[in-house]
C-alpha cells in the first residue's frame, strides 16, 4: 500500500508537500522514503533559476514570473534560498516580502536557508525541486542566495538560468564577474526604469561577446560552423517597478524559446538525469565519508592518525590515505 | 544496513526552528516585528517574514507552505480581537493546530485571556525582553517536538 503522505503529495496536497520538504531538509527517514516513493513521478517540471547579486530584484522579478506563468494556468512552485548565519545557524528568509500585491494563481512558495552550503542553493533545494515536481508543480522558480562568486549549483539544478543584473551595483564588475557569463542562459538587466540600465546591458552584451565559453557552455552547444542550433544568451531590459513595468513579455518569450531549444536538442530530460546523477554522487561522498570516519573511529585508526598528525609525523593528505588504507585491517598495536 | 547506516538520531543536531513572523491586517507598525525577527534569527532560528498587510488566509498559507513550527503575530492596531481568532481557526482547518502561536504588540491586558482562550501560547506587550521571548518560544517548540 502506498503511504498516505505519498498519496497526498502526488495529489498536490500543500501540507503533504510542505511536510515532505521539511523531512528531507532535516534528513528525516520519512522524507527519504517518501522521495523514493514519488520519484517515478518527477522529471516533468521546468526548472528556472534566478541568480544575481542581493538587491538586483530577483524576488520581485520571480513573483512577476510566477504570476505570468500562473496566468497561463500553470502550477508554479517557488524555492527561495537565503543565507544561514555561519555563527548562529539562524537565517532571515525575506523573499516573500516582495509579495506586496495580491497575486492570483496557484503558487506554492517555500523559503529555505542555505544551512552552510556555499554553491548558492541549500542541500535540500534539490529534493524540494523534485518533490514539487512530483506534486504537480509544472514550473519551478528557484532563487539563489546571490552572494557567491559564481553560483554553480543553479547551473546544474535548473533547465534555464536567468542572471539578474541591475544598474548601480557595479556594472563592469557584475558583467565580468568570473563565471557570470558562463552561468546564464538569459540575462536580465533589471530596474530598467533606472538610469544606467542600457549601459549595464551594453556591458553585459560586450562581456558575452568576449567570452566564447558563454556560448559554448554546457553540453548542448554545437558551434554554428558545425551546423548546430546554438543558444546565444540574450540580454533583456526589464522593470518590475509598479507603474513602470516593462519587458516581462519579452522575457517570457525568451524563456519559452530557451525551453524549445532544450527540447529540440533533447536536453530537457538529459539535464534532469545529469542532475540526479550529480546528486547521487554528492550523497555517496557524504555517506562514504561518514562510513569511513565511523570505521576509523571504531577501530582506533582515527585516533592514531590524529595523534601522528599532531606530532607532524604525517601530513593531512598522507593521514587521509592512512585512514582509508587502515579500513578493514586488524588494529595495529603501536 | 551497511553503508547507509544512519548515525543515531541522538547524534544528529536538532534542526533549526522555523518560525513565521506575520503582520496581518492594515497595521503598518513593523519596527517590533523586524526587531523580533532579527532576535529570533540571532537565536539560531530560521525566520520567514511575511511583510506587511497580509490577510489571515495568506498568513496561514505561509505557515503551511513553510511548514513552520511557530507563528509570531505582531499587531499594534487593536485589530487582534478580530484577526487572531480567525488565524487560529484557519490554522486548525489547515491541519496546523500544533503551531506554537505567539502574539505581541499593543495588546491590552483585558484582552489577554481571550487571546489565550483562542489558542495563543504567549502574549508579549511593548517593552518585552527579546531574550525572554526567544527562550519561551524555544521551550514551547521543544515541548511540541518532544510530543511528536
Ligand atoms: C512608532 C509608531 C508609529 C510609526 C510606525 C513606524 C513603523 N514603521 O513601525 C508611525 C509614525 C508610522 C505610526 C503610525 C500610526 N500609529 Co503609531 N505608534 C508608534 C509608537 C510610538 C511606537 C511603536 C514602536 O515602533 N515601538 C517600538 C517597537 C520595538 O515596539 P513594539 O512594536 O511594541 O514591539 C515590542 C513588543 O510589543 C514585542 N512585540 C511586538 N510584536 C510582537 C510579536 C510577537 C509574536 C511577540 C512575541 C512580541 C512582539 O516585542 C517588541 C520588543 O519588546 C506606538 C506607541 C507605543 N507605545 O507602542 C504608536 C501606536 C502603536 N500608534 C498608534 C496609532 C493610532 C497610529 C496611527 C493610526 C496614527 C494615525 N492616526 O495616523 C498610524 C497608523 C499607521 C498604520 N497604518 O498602521 C497607536 C495604536 C493604538 C491602538 N493599538 O489601538 C499607538 C499605540 C499610539 C497610541 N498610544 O495611541 N506609529
Ligand atoms: N527601481 C526598481 N526597483 C526594483 C525593481 N525590482 C525590484 N526593485 C527593488 O529592489 C529592491 C530589492 O529587490 P529584491 O527583489 O528583494 O531583490 P533580491 O535581493 O535580488 O531578491 C527592493 O527594494 C525592490 O523594491 C525594479 O524593476 N525597479
Ligand atoms: Mg531575494
Amino acid at each position: 500500500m502506498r503511504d498516505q503522505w505519498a498519496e497526498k503529495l502526488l495529489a498536490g496536497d500543500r501540507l503533504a508537500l510542505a511536510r515532505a520538504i521539511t523531512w528531507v531538509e532535516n534528513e528525516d527517514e520519512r522524507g527519504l522514503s517518501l522521495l523514493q516513493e514519488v520519484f517515478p513521478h518527477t522529471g516533468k517540471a521546468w526548472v528556472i533559476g534566478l541568480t544575481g547579486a542581493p538587491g538586483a530584484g530577483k524576488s520581485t522579478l520571480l513573483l512577476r514570473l510566477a504570476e505570468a506563468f500562473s496566468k497561463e494556468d500553470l502550477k508554479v512552485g517557488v524555492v527561495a534560498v537565503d543565507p544561514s548565519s555561519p555563527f548562529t545557524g539562524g537565517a532571515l528568509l525575506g523573499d516573500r516580502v516582495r509579495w506586496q500585491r495580491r497575486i492570483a494563481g496557484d503558487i506554492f512558495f517555500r523559503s529555505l536557508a542555505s544551512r552552510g552550503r556555499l554553491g548558492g542553493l541549500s542541500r535540500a533545494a534539490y529534493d524540494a525541486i523534485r518533490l514539487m515536481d512530483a506534486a504537480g508543480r509544472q514550473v519551478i522558480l528557484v532563487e539563489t542566495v546571490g552572494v557567491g562568486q559564481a553560483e554553480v549549483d543553479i547551473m546544474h539544478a535548473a533547465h534555464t538560468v536567468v542572471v539578474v543584473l541591475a544598474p548601480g551595483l557595479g556594472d563592469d564588475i557584475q558583467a565580468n564577474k568570473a563565471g557570470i557569463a558562463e552561468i546564464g542562459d538569459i540575462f536580465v538587466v533589471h530596474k530598467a526604469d533606472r538610469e544606467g540600465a542600457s549601459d549595464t546591458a551594453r556591458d553585459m552584451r560586450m562581456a558575452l561577446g568576449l567570452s566564447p565559453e558563454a556560448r559554448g557552455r554546457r553540453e548542448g552547444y554545437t558551434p554554428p560552423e558545425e551546423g548546430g542550433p546554438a543558444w546565444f544568451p540574450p540580454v533583456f531590459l526589464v522593470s518590475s517597478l509598479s507603474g513602470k513595468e516593462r519587458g516581462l513579455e519579452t522575457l517570457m518569450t525568451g524563456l519559452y524559446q530557451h525551453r524549445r531549444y532544450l527540447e529540440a536538442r533533447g536536453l530537457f530530460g538529459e539535464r534532469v538525469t545529469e542532475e540526479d546523477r550529480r546528486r547521487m554522487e554528492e550523497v555517496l561522498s557524504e555517506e562514504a565519508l561518514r562510513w569511513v570516519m565511523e570505521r576509523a573511529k571504531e577501530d582506533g585508526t582515527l585516533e592514531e592518525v590524529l595523534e601522528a598528525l599532531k606530532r607532524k609525523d604525517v601530513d593531512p593528505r598522507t593521514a587521509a590515505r592512512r585512514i582509508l588504507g587502515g579500513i578493514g585491517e586488524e588494529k595495529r598495536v603501536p | 544496513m551497511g553503508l547507509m547506516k544512519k548515525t543515531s538520531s541522538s547524534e544528529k543536531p536538532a534542526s533549526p526552528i522555523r518560525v513565521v513572523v506575520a503582520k496581518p491586517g492594515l497595521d503598518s507598525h513593523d519596527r517590533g516585528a523586524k526587531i523580533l525577527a532579527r532576535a529570533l534569527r540571532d537565536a539560531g532560528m530560521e525566520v520567514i517574514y511575511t511583510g506587511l498587510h497580509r490577510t489571515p488566509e495568506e498568513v496561514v498559507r505561509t505557515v503551511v507552505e513553510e511548514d513552520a513550527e511557530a507563528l509570531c503575530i505582531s499587531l499594534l492596531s487593536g485589530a487582534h480581537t478580530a484577526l487572531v481568532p480567525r488565524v487560529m481557526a484557519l490554522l486548525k482547518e489547515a491541519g496546523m493546530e500544533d503551531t506554537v502561536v505567539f502574539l505581541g504588540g499593543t495588546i491590552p491586558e483585558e484582552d489577554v485571556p481571550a487571546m489565550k482562550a483562542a489558542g495563543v501560547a504567549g502574549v508579549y506587550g511593548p517593552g518585552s525582553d527579546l531574550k525572554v521571548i526567544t527562550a519561551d518560544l524555544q521551550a514551547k517548540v521543544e515541548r511540541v517536538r518532544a510530543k511528536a
Side-chain angles (χ1 to χ4, degrees):
Chain A
M1 197 193 75
R2 192 183 263 158
D3 182 78
Q4 60 148 343
W5 283 104
E7 207 77 71
K8 281 188 182 167
L9 187 144
L10 292 172
D13 182 76
R14 301 186 107 82
L15 183 55
L17 175 55
R19 188 62 43 87
I21 296 172
T22 304
W23 283 339
V24 294
E25 185 172 39
N26 295 338
E27 298 206 23
D28 185 313
E29 288 296 331
R30 286 171 292 184
L32 306 186
S33 59
L34 191 51
L35 185 56
Q36 159 68 16
E37 209 165 335
V38 303
F39 197 74
H41 300 269
T42 64
K44 299 183 291 274
W46 180 15
V47 185
I48 301 175
L50 280 87
T51 185
K58 296 181 294 299
S59 301
T60 311
L61 180 63
L62 183 147
L63 290 171
R64 301 274 178 206
L65 289 172
E67 193 174 29
F69 280 117
S70 51
K71 272 193 189 134
E72 297 177 4
D73 276 333
L74 292 167
K75 289 186 179 175
V76 178
V78 176
V79 178
V81 189
D82 280 301
S84 299
S85 157
F87 305 107
T88 64
L92 209 48
L93 311 175
D95 297 312
R96 281 178 177 268
V97 176
R98 300 296 163 220
W99 214 306
Q100 279 313 334
R101 272 176 320 132
R102 290 290 99 80
I103 291 179
D106 190 347
I107 302 166
F108 182 102
F109 193 120
R110 180 62 171 248
S111 316
L112 294 174
S114 65
R115 295 197 180 177
R117 191 182 172 102
L118 295 174
L121 294 180
S122 73
R123 302 174 42 185
Y126 163 89
D127 297 318
I129 290 168
R130 291 294 178 271
L131 289 167
M132 283 189 186
D133 186 352
R137 299 283 130 190
Q138 295 157 296
V139 179
I140 300 170
L141 301 166
V142 184
E143 178 179 342
T144 73
V145 171
V147 291
Q149 260 294 315
E151 301 205 309
V152 285
D153 277 353
I154 194 64
M155 182 171 140
H156 300 296
H159 289 105
T160 305
V161 176
V162 179
V163 172
V164 185
L165 310 158
L169 292 175
D171 296 345
D172 49 333
I173 305 168
Q174 285 184 90
N176 294 316
K177 204 162 125 177
I180 276 291
E182 290 83 355
I183 263 184
D185 297 300
I186 289 176
F187 291 81
V188 166
V189 175
H190 203 207
K191 308 195 184 182
D193 52 276
R194 287 216 190 143
E195 223 170 296
S198 48
D199 293 341
T200 307
R202 190 203 52 220
D203 290 350
M204 193 62 233
R205 285 197 184 98
M206 282 259 289
L208 286 172
L210 294 173
S211 155
E213 313 82 59
R215 279 171 276 131
R217 76 174 203 94
R218 304 223 271 208
E219 64 281 16
Y221 180 70
T222 311
E225 55 272 26
E226 286 171 30
W231 178 259
F232 296 93
V235 179
F236 297 128
L237 283 156
V238 179
S239 171
S240 301
L241 192 67
S242 289
K244 296 213 168 174
E245 287 103 336
R246 70 174 261 208
L248 189 71
E249 273 174 42
T250 321
L251 172 59
M252 286 292 284
T253 308
L255 286 167
Y256 276 111
Q257 271 168 358
H258 188 252
R259 181 181 177 142
R260 275 197 298 278
Y261 155 78
L262 291 174
E263 283 168 343
R265 295 297 305 269
L267 291 170
F268 195 83
E270 201 174 289
R271 287 215 174 148
V272 177
T273 313
E274 181 65 14
E275 173 68 350
D276 288 341
R277 189 184 64 84
R278 292 179 57 84
R279 176 65 176 165
M280 182 196 75
E281 286 179 358
E282 189 175 278
V283 173
L284 187 59
S285 70
E286 283 165 11
E287 296 277 351
L289 175 65
R290 201 174 339 193
W291 185 79
V292 167
M293 292 305 265
E294 265 173 34
R295 287 316 99 115
K297 209 182 284 175
E298 269 166 29
D299 72 4
T301 317
L302 182 64
E303 203 184 331
E304 204 178 289
V305 169
L306 286 177
E307 268 307 312
L309 194 63
K310 205 161 123 192
R311 288 195 307 268
K312 300 215 178 296
D313 284 351
V314 290
D315 75 302
R317 192 181 292 258
T318 310
R321 290 208 171 143
R322 198 169 287 179
I323 283 177
L324 266 182
I327 289 199
E329 266 178 31
E330 287 301 307
K331 188 180 159 22
R332 278 162 295 157
V333 186
Chain B
M1 248 174 32
L3 186 62
M4 299 305 278
K5 196 183 92 187
K6 291 264 341 151
T7 41
S8 67
S9 56
S10 57
E11 278 176 49
K12 205 161 76 177
S15 41
I17 293 171
R18 289 174 62 84
V19 48
V20 169
V21 172
K23 289 277 324 162
L26 300 174
D27 178 20
S28 295
H29 296 91
D30 61 358
R31 280 204 216 152
K34 285 180 168 163
I35 288 172
L36 176 71
R38 252 172 272 141
L40 297 175
R41 177 199 60 187
D42 292 342
M45 300 186 200
E46 293 180 354
V47 186
I48 298 111
Y49 179 48
T50 62
L52 292 171
H53 306 153
R54 300 291 102 129
T55 63
E57 286 76 10
E58 286 171 327
V59 170
V60 173
R61 173 78 88 84
T62 301
V63 173
V64 170
E65 292 178 8
E66 301 290 356
D67 197 20
E69 298 166 278
L71 168 62
C72 285
I73 303 174
S74 178
L75 279 169
L76 289 84
S77 63
H80 52 276
T81 47
L83 291 168
V84 172
R86 175 92 186 119
V87 168
M88 300 310 293
L90 289 167
L91 278 177
K92 190 152 189 232
E93 211 172 283
M96 293 296 282
E97 59 275 9
D98 284 345
T99 314
V100 175
V101 180
F102 274 19
L103 173 65
T106 51
I107 315 295
E109 203 54 57
E110 62 266 29
D111 290 346
V112 173
M115 294 294 106
K116 295 220 161 143
V120 171
V123 181
Y124 299 83
S128 298
D129 186 342
L130 292 162
K131 284 206 179 72
V132 172
I133 295 173
T134 309
D136 287 357
L137 189 65
Q138 222 141 17
K140 291 246 157 73
V141 170
E142 264 152 34
R143 212 171 305 157
V144 173
R145 282 186 180 185
K147 259 197 291 173

